Amino acid sequence: MLHYAIDLADLKKEFKKKVMIDGKPIMLLYLADKVYALHDKCTHMGASLSKGSIEGEAVKCRIHGAKFDVKTGEVVEKAHVGFIKMPTKKTVTFKTEIKEDKVFVEV
C-alpha cells in the first residue's frame, strides 16, 4: 500500500530525510533525480542511516562504517572496527512513487 511520505520539493532541499510510515523509520534519499527509500536502521547495530553519509550510490553508517547500496539494500561494505569486519545483513528497501510532486512509499 502506498503512503504519502513528503513533498518532493522538500526532499530535494534536504537531500535525505527520515520519515515514519506505519511505525517504521524510513530514510528517503533524493539522488540523481530519483527517490530511494531504505529502512532507517543499520543492520549491524541499529544506528540511523539517515544520519550517515552518502558515498556514490551507497549510504554509510556513521557508527561502524557499514555501507548499503541505496537501490538494492545490498551490503557494499561490512561494518568494521579497524580491520575487523563484523556481521552485516542486507537492509530493506521500499518502492517509491512520485505523484503530483509528492513522494509515496510502498510499505
Side-chain angles (χ1 to χ4, degrees):
M1 178 175 190
L2 284 176
H3 297 271
Y4 168 78
I6 194 170
D7 287 346
L8 182 59
D10 292 337
L11 182 58
K12 283 181 176 181
K13 285 180 208 170
E14 296 187 44
F15 173 59
K16 62 182 174 173
K17 176 83 174 166
K18 176 182 177 178
V19 296
M20 295 294 288
I21 299 177
D22 274 356
K24 294 180 174 101
I26 296 174
M27 180 189 84
L28 296 174
L29 175 66
Y30 184 77
L31 183 65
D33 294 324
K34 293 186 181 180
V35 176
Y36 300 97
L38 297 93
H39 190 248
D40 189 45
K41 287 195 175 198
C42 178
T43 59
H44 172 240
M45 289 190 70
S48 173
L49 291 176
S50 61
K51 292 182 180 178
S53 59
I54 303 302
E55 296 184 3
E57 293 184 343
V59 59
K60 179 179 179 180
C61 179
R62 66 188 178 96
I63 305 296
H64 292 116
K67 291 183 191 176
F68 303 91
D69 185 296
V70 298
K71 295 177 182 179
T72 65
E74 291 290 337
V75 176
V76 174
E77 186 175 319
K78 289 184 175 185
H80 60 277
V81 174
F83 295 106
I84 301 169
K85 300 282 183 182
M86 295 181 247
T88 311
K89 297 178 182 174
K90 176 181 177 178
T91 193
V92 177
T93 58
F94 302 92
K95 180 183 173 191
T96 62
E97 216 172 288
I98 299 170
K99 294 181 183 179
E100 299 175 7
D101 292 326
K102 296 185 183 316
V103 177
F104 293 85
V105 178
E106 188 174 307
V107 177

